[in-house]
Amino acid sequence: MPSVFTHAAIPLALWCASDRGRISTPLLAAGVVAAMLPDADVLAFALQIPYADSFGHRGASHSILFAALLAVLAALLRTRLRATAVQAAAFVGISALSHPLLDAFTSGGLGVALWWPWSGERLFAPWRPIRVSPFAGQFFSARGLATIFSELRWVWLPLTAAVIGWRVIQRAPARPRNP
């Protein structure tokens, strides 16, 4: 997995790329939580649930179904999130789905159960440039530092460039059409 902090990159980038006020602070917070929440499955280790189990790390909580359930919950909470049902569901759903997709680009682990419960197969992307993050106890180590640099290179910098590019395009004056 990328570090839990990097999972917040997608909702933060979407917020930065949007017009100010379009994504409310409560909706942004819900998106950040949804992007990080799948890693709550590390509690499975404490419960003696094997990593490869459907409810182990990168299992059910890393599925499209889980992201869809969070999207439905966000739609139900739309008033508190200060958003329409569609906006809340889309933002939270995309944020939650970004988590397993980022994990699929990492260099280690067992892959993600993206299609759970229809399939228990663990998947990886064909290209895996992001260093897998060590667990909490080893995060502040040389390996943890290498992970941070990998995440900066492969997630934060490209997203920052994309947001800046998008904002430049948005601010560009419209060209007059020639008759």
PDB file of all heavy atoms in Angstrom, residues 11 81 98 147 165:
ATOM      1  N   PRO A  11      -8.577  12.657  -3.385  1.00  0.00           N
ATOM      2  CA  PRO A  11      -9.618  13.649  -3.067  1.00  0.00           C
ATOM      3  C   PRO A  11      -9.068  15.063  -2.938  1.00  0.00           C
ATOM      4  O   PRO A  11      -9.734  16.028  -3.341  1.00  0.00           O
ATOM      5  CB  PRO A  11     -10.215  13.150  -1.744  1.00  0.00           C
ATOM      6  CG  PRO A  11      -9.326  12.099  -1.236  1.00  0.00           C
ATOM      7  CD  PRO A  11      -8.532  11.585  -2.394  1.00  0.00           C
ATOM      8  N   LEU A  81     -23.147  16.629   4.267  1.00  0.00           N
ATOM      9  CA  LEU A  81     -21.952  16.841   3.440  1.00  0.00           C
ATOM     10  C   LEU A  81     -22.069  18.110   2.593  1.00  0.00           C
ATOM     11  O   LEU A  81     -21.147  18.450   1.864  1.00  0.00           O
ATOM     12  CB  LEU A  81     -21.697  15.624   2.553  1.00  0.00           C
ATOM     13  CG  LEU A  81     -21.408  14.325   3.301  1.00  0.00           C
ATOM     14  CD1 LEU A  81     -21.272  13.159   2.326  1.00  0.00           C
ATOM     15  CD2 LEU A  81     -20.171  14.459   4.166  1.00  0.00           C
ATOM     16  N   SER A  98     -10.199   5.023  -5.405  1.00  0.00           N
ATOM     17  CA  SER A  98      -8.802   5.362  -5.678  1.00  0.00           C
ATOM     18  C   SER A  98      -7.854   4.564  -4.786  1.00  0.00           C
ATOM     19  O   SER A  98      -6.716   4.298  -5.177  1.00  0.00           O
ATOM     20  CB  SER A  98      -8.562   6.866  -5.484  1.00  0.00           C
ATOM     21  OG  SER A  98      -8.560   7.234  -4.118  1.00  0.00           O
ATOM     22  N   THR A 147       9.862   4.854   0.598  1.00  0.00           N
ATOM     23  CA  THR A 147       8.451   4.818   0.198  1.00  0.00           C
ATOM     24  C   THR A 147       7.924   6.232  -0.011  1.00  0.00           C
ATOM     25  O   THR A 147       7.233   6.511  -1.000  1.00  0.00           O
ATOM     26  CB  THR A 147       7.610   4.087   1.260  1.00  0.00           C
ATOM     27  OG1 THR A 147       8.080   2.742   1.360  1.00  0.00           O
ATOM     28  CG2 THR A 147       6.137   4.099   0.915  1.00  0.00           C
ATOM     29  N   GLY A 165      -1.975  22.079 -14.403  1.00  0.00           N
ATOM     30  CA  GLY A 165      -2.348  22.122 -15.818  1.00  0.00           C
ATOM     31  C   GLY A 165      -3.830  22.365 -16.018  1.00  0.00           C
ATOM     32  O   GLY A 165      -4.227  23.185 -16.864  1.00  0.00           O
TER      33      GLY A 165
END
